Amino acid sequence: MAAAASTGKETTHVSFVCQRCYQPLKMDSSIYSLDADTKKELESSLYLHSKVMEMQYSYEDKTQNWYKNFSPPSDITQKVISSAKSNEKIEDGSSMDSLSYKVKVSTQLFDIMSGASDIDHPLCEECTDNLLDLLNDQLVSTENELEGYKNLLGKLESKDYMNDSLLDLDIERLEAEQAQLMKEISETEDAHNQIQEERKAMKIEDEKLTLQEEQHWREYCKHQKSLLDFEDEQLSVHNQLQYAKSQLEKLRKTNVFNSTFHIWHKGHFGTINNFRLGRLPTVPVEWPEINAAWGQTVLLLNSLAKKIGLTFQHYRLVPYGNQSYVECIDDKSKELPLYCTGGVRFFWDTKFDQAMVAFLDCLQQFKEEVEKGESKFYLPYRMEKGKIYDSSGSGNYSVKIQFNSEEHWTKALKFMLTNLKWGLAWVSSKFAEG
């Protein structure tokens, strides 16, 4: 409230600050001359004022203090004069007594004022004005409220409510209403309790449904994944089926004989699957290649015969790779090899020539069998008793190698492969149409 500051060695200055905005106050000199009578008069008047204020606000919520709405000016900074608290030394004894008296008087006055109300004193002029404005507003509001109470009291007094019988009837009616309301309250509480029980049951049911929903969604996701896997598998199977159908269609259009046995020519040589059949003095083809070509030739004619259901007379072709041979049906112990290794023994062994003559006879039987059902079928080169005739009329060529030139033998084998190629083409077209 008060602060003392030393401005020199013999001078002490005491100042009070506003209890709201903490601005230093300049006190009037008359405030320090407070005698005992004045003090008692102030205490009695302030005590009566505080009682009136207490009665006036007894019906209100005491937690809502009106003075809390009282605030200091916004442009005033809350500063305490710290310099006034730094030094409290007073050297002159007479000055100390005077200062103590003034401070004591002022303090007593402000304590009386603060104790009689909810406002701490002292206050500056601006804060006091604000407080007065607030008190005036409160006074106007209280007077308006008092006027309303007076009007209500007048209305009540104008009616005849003093009649005991009417009051008893009102009391009975209100008691009946109270009983009815209590009954309704009881019923409402029972309904509330029942609703709470139902709510608990519904909450439990909701939790069960939530668990079932979660389980359902887990199963749904599992089945959805299985469905996607099955759809992928189905699509894969469908693609495989389409690919298989395309391959089947391709295979249907593909002739197995044309794909397996490729008969062509390479210069003077007839070839089957790129194996040369024959030899020339200038081109001495190795015997393993010739034997392989004969193995492919025997396999082709044997396959064509099976395709048309032909069984050869006197002979049976035995395809055995590069060691294929012809078996004589009349003498099964006799095997005619369609392979040779060359050398000296080759020129004195006639079985190789017999085997080639027998193969040409089987080819002739194939031709005759086809001509039975196809009158328009013919081969480009006529065959008879181990010889093949040139269609240009330039002579015939023997399939035997002994007592024959290599050129003629190679040409005879070339003509034989040509006839075999024609038979292959007929069988391919015939069964492709079927």
Side-chain angles (χ1 to χ4, degrees):
M1 181 184 296
S6 178
T7 58
K9 291 184 179 181
E10 298 179 354
T11 304
T12 301
H13 176 70
V14 178
S15 64
F16 289 86
V17 294
C18 178
Q19 297 303 298
R20 298 298 294 178
C21 65
Y22 299 104
Q23 281 281 8
L25 297 177
K26 184 178 181 180
M27 308 302 295
D28 189 87
S29 59
S30 63
I31 200 172
Y32 299 118
S33 59
L34 180 65
D35 54 10
D37 296 334
T38 306
K39 178 180 178 183
K40 289 181 179 181
E41 184 179 355
L42 287 173
E43 287 178 348
S44 61
S45 61
L46 290 174
Y47 176 77
L48 291 175
H49 176 72
S50 64
K51 288 296 182 181
V52 172
M53 295 297 292
E54 182 179 356
M55 292 176 62
Q56 181 178 356
Y57 293 99
S58 61
Y59 68 94
E60 295 182 353
D61 186 2
K62 293 185 178 181
T63 59
Q64 299 177 353
N65 297 324
W66 61 272
Y67 67 87
K68 289 183 178 180
N69 297 324
F70 173 53
S71 58
S74 58
D75 58 343
I76 299 177
T77 59
Q78 299 182 0
K79 296 181 180 179
V80 180
I81 307 176
S82 58
S83 60
K85 294 183 179 181
S86 60
N87 295 316
E88 296 181 356
K89 296 180 181 180
I90 305 176
E91 295 181 358
D92 188 10
S94 60
S95 299
M96 182 63 183
D97 294 337
S98 176
L99 178 61
S100 299
Y101 175 76
K102 293 180 179 181
V103 171
K104 183 177 181 180
V105 171
S106 303
T107 304
Q108 288 179 352
L109 178 60
F110 293 141
D111 287 343
I112 293 172
M113 297 174 65
S114 299
S117 65
D118 293 328
I119 302 298
D120 291 335
H121 291 275
L123 297 176
C124 66
E125 184 178 357
E126 188 171 359
C127 292
T128 303
D129 293 338
N130 291 333
L131 177 60
L132 292 176
D133 293 339
L134 186 62
L135 290 174
N136 289 330
D137 295 338
Q138 188 68 26
L139 178 60
V140 172
S141 176
T142 303
E143 290 176 350
N144 293 333
E145 190 172 358
L146 179 61
E147 186 65 25
Y149 285 144
K150 289 180 179 180
N151 294 333
L152 180 61
L153 180 60
K155 292 180 181 179
L156 292 176
E157 290 177 350
S158 62
K159 295 181 180 180
D160 189 10
Y161 278 99
M162 301 306 293
N163 193 339
D164 293 339
S165 60
L166 294 177
L167 291 177
D168 292 338
L169 291 176
D170 289 341
I171 291 174
E172 291 177 359
R173 179 178 57 80
L174 292 176
E175 288 178 351
E177 290 181 359
Q178 181 183 10
Q180 181 65 26
L181 292 175
M182 293 300 294
K183 182 179 179 181
E184 292 179 359
I185 289 174
S186 179
E187 293 176 353
T188 304
E189 288 179 352
D190 293 339
H192 175 73
N193 294 332
Q194 183 179 359
I195 291 173
Q196 290 296 326
E197 294 296 330
E198 294 178 355
R199 182 180 180 185
K200 291 180 181 178
M202 293 179 66
K203 186 176 181 181
I204 295 174
E205 185 67 20
D206 179 67
E207 292 176 355
K208 291 181 180 179
L209 292 176
T210 301
L211 293 177
Q212 292 178 1
E213 182 182 9
E214 292 177 357
Q215 181 66 23
H216 165 74
W217 281 114
R218 282 194 292 268
E219 293 179 357
Y220 172 79
C221 294
K222 181 180 179 181
H223 294 319
Q224 188 71 16
K225 181 179 181 299
S226 300
L227 177 62
L228 294 176
D229 293 339
F230 289 147
E231 288 179 351
D232 292 340
E233 185 177 357
Q234 182 183 12
L235 182 60
S236 176
V237 171
H238 177 72
N239 293 334
Q240 293 178 9
L241 180 62
Q242 293 298 324
Y243 176 75
K245 287 182 178 179
S246 64
Q247 291 297 316
L248 178 60
E249 187 66 24
K250 184 178 180 181
L251 290 175
R252 285 176 178 174
K253 294 180 180 179
T254 302
N255 188 278
V256 64
F257 292 107
N258 289 332
S259 300
T260 307
F261 302 100
H262 178 65
I263 298 176
W264 200 241
H265 59 86
K266 186 181 293 184
H268 296 284
F269 298 97
T271 61
I272 180 169
N273 292 339
N274 292 325
F275 293 118
R276 291 173 293 181
L277 189 61
R279 58 186 294 152
L280 295 174
T282 56
V283 186
V285 180
E286 299 293 334
W287 281 106
E289 182 177 353
I290 297 173
N291 296 337
W294 270 117
Q296 295 292 314
T297 305
V298 173
L299 179 61
L300 174 57
L301 182 57
N302 186 63
S303 300
L304 294 177
K306 288 182 178 180
K307 191 67 176 177
I308 65 173
L310 171 64
T311 301
F312 297 113
Q313 298 178 1
H314 309 296
Y315 303 106
R316 186 174 71 89
L317 298 178
V318 182
Y320 201 64
N322 58 355
Q323 292 186 356
S324 301
Y325 58 92
V326 179
E327 182 181 13
C328 295
I329 298 177
D330 299 334
D331 186 5
K332 292 185 178 181
S333 62
K334 186 178 181 180
E335 296 181 355
L336 303 177
L338 277 171
Y339 58 91
C340 184
T341 58
V344 178
R345 292 185 57 189
F346 164 71
F347 293 99
W348 301 104
D349 190 0
T350 60
K351 287 186 178 181
F352 183 58
D353 287 342
Q354 293 176 9
M356 289 186 287
V357 173
F359 181 83
L360 195 64
D361 183 66
C362 292
L363 182 58
Q364 181 65 26
Q365 293 182 40
F366 171 79
K367 171 181 174 297
E368 292 172 357
E369 181 68 22
V370 173
E371 287 177 348
K372 290 180 182 179
E374 186 69 42
S375 59
K376 296 181 180 181
F377 176 77
Y378 70 95
L379 296 179
Y381 301 101
R382 184 167 61 89
M383 299 172 294
E384 184 179 354
K385 296 181 180 180
K387 293 182 180 180
I388 297 180
Y389 293 87
D390 192 351
S391 58
S392 62
S394 59
N396 57 77
Y397 303 93
S398 175
V399 295
K400 296 180 179 179
I401 194 171
Q402 288 186 352
F403 309 108
N404 194 8
S405 64
E406 290 183 341
E407 291 87 350
H408 287 179
W409 180 61
T410 301
K411 183 170 288 189
L413 297 180
K414 183 178 181 182
F415 291 164
M416 181 194 67
L417 284 178
T418 303
N419 284 346
L420 196 59
K421 183 177 177 65
W422 279 58
L424 171 64
W426 180 87
V427 172
S428 299
S429 60
K430 185 68 177 179
F431 288 92
E433 293 175 0

